[in-house]
């Protein structure tokens, strides 16, 4: 897994910047009730999406939480006084404190199913009755857009899928949450080029092909042989699922 403290400085620029953040925030807000007065953004990262959530609704108080100090510092610069350094498995908030909770691009990073259950459970715990939890699902699958790069990478060792939609729905049900809608948004600027994919491979982007893995050089060679080395392939589209607490 990437070190998100080291990744913080380049995170926004390498992942679509403001256009992607705008798309993510708009999709999240499309699933958040208009009367929500308090929203918690779990794993808020650099706060690039969190800031847009706060700016979009003047009457809604938005709080961000992240585990990586470097990420949280950047988020705090964007939202002074509204960012907390904490683990999503042990949220430092009261039961029922928020009208809405979101976790964008988080569950796929969990160490295993038990951690996903715990994160979903914590999000449900701090959600008030009638509130909504919104989260991304099936993130890895979203990146497969059917390109020539995906064909090359299709034979790499598979990664465990922590955020499969059916599993997340099951975990949500275990904590009393019921399905409440879904949305999709474009990952602007995340369409991969062969050269960029090789660079990502070299720095450990792909969990099952870490730097130094015996197969990594072979994949890098095949990617380097593809045409149009600097042409981005199509952007991915990410999926959000919403769950309501009765």
């Amino acid at each position: 897994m990437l070190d998100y403290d080291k990744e913080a400085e380049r995170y926004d620029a390498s992942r679509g910047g403001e256009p992607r953040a705008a798309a993510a925030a708009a999709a999240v807000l499309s699933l958040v009730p208009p009367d929500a007065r308090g929203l918690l953004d779990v794993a808020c990262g650099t706060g690039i999406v969190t800031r847009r959530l706060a700016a979009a609704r003047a009457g809604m108080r938005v709080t961000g939480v992240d585990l990586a100090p470097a990420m949280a510092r950047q988020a705090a610069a964007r939202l002074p006084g509204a960012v907390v350094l904490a683990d999503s498995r042990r949220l430092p908030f009261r039961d029922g404190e928020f009208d809405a909770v979101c976790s964008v691009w988080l569950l796929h990073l969990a160490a295993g199913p038990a951690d996903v259950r715990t994160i979903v459970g914590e999000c449900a715990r701090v959600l008030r009755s009638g509130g909504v939890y919104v989260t991304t699902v099936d993130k890895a699958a979203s990146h497969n857009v059917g390109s020539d790069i995906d064909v090359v990478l299709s034979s790499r060792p598979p990664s465990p899928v922590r955020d499969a939609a059916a599993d997340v729905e099951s975990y949500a049900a275990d904590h009393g949450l019921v399905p409440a809608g879904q949305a999709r948004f474009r990952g602007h600027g995340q369409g991969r080029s062969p050269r960029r994919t090789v660079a990502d491979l070299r720095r450990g982007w792909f969990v099952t092909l870490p730097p130094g893995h015996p197969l990594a050089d072979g994949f890098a060679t095949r990617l380097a042989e593809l045409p149009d080395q600097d042409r981005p392939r199509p952007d991915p589209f990410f999926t959000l699922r919403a769950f309501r607490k009765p």
Side-chain angles (χ1 to χ4, degrees):
M1 183 187 298
L2 293 177
D3 183 329
Y4 282 89
D5 274 318
K6 294 180 179 178
E7 194 75 6
E9 288 299 324
R10 69 187 307 275
Y11 185 88
D12 293 344
S14 65
R15 290 164 176 80
E18 294 293 351
R20 186 186 79 145
V28 169
L29 290 171
S30 75
L31 297 169
V32 172
D35 60 347
R37 291 295 174 262
L39 180 147
L40 176 65
D41 186 7
V42 180
C44 66
T46 66
I48 191 171
V49 175
T50 321
R51 177 177 60 184
R52 287 181 172 275
L53 295 172
R57 295 190 185 176
M60 185 171 69
R61 174 180 57 87
V62 176
T63 302
V65 60
D66 204 274
L67 180 60
M71 289 286 209
R73 282 194 296 272
Q74 289 204 30
R78 285 173 161 145
L79 290 162
V83 177
V84 178
L85 185 66
D87 192 323
S88 58
R89 296 167 296 182
R90 294 183 296 277
L91 294 173
F93 305 105
R94 301 187 309 272
D95 294 0
E97 187 168 343
F98 296 94
D99 301 311
V101 178
C102 66
S103 60
V104 181
W105 303 302
L106 168 63
L107 299 184
H108 70 288
L109 297 174
D115 276 357
V116 180
R117 290 189 187 95
T118 299
I119 293 167
V120 172
E122 278 291 274
C123 292
R125 179 184 65 77
V126 302
L127 194 62
R128 70 162 177 82
S129 179
V132 171
Y133 170 50
V134 179
T135 187
T136 41
V137 296
D138 297 322
K139 182 179 183 293
S142 299
H143 283 282
N144 188 339
V145 297
S147 71
D148 52 352
I149 294 172
D150 294 318
V151 172
V152 169
L153 294 176
S154 65
S155 59
R156 74 184 188 277
S159 300
V161 177
R162 308 302 190 198
D163 65 340
D167 292 339
V168 174
E169 182 171 337
S170 175
Y171 304 151
D174 289 343
H175 293 284
L177 304 181
V178 297
Q182 64 181 40
R184 296 177 75 238
F185 64 94
R186 181 179 173 183
H188 293 272
Q190 288 199 279
R192 292 173 175 150
S193 69
R195 199 181 312 277
R196 174 179 165 181
T197 306
V198 171
D200 287 341
L201 182 67
R202 299 296 192 201
R203 67 190 184 91
W205 179 284
F206 299 99
V207 175
T208 58
L209 289 172
H213 190 288
L215 297 177
D217 287 343
F219 280 98
T221 297
R222 291 172 62 192
L223 289 165
E225 292 171 349
L226 294 177
D228 302 317
Q229 280 287 300
D230 293 309
R231 177 177 60 82
R233 279 36 173 186
D235 288 331
F237 277 80
F238 299 107
T239 301
L240 290 168
R241 292 287 305 274
F243 303 92
R244 182 174 56 84
K245 187 174 185 177

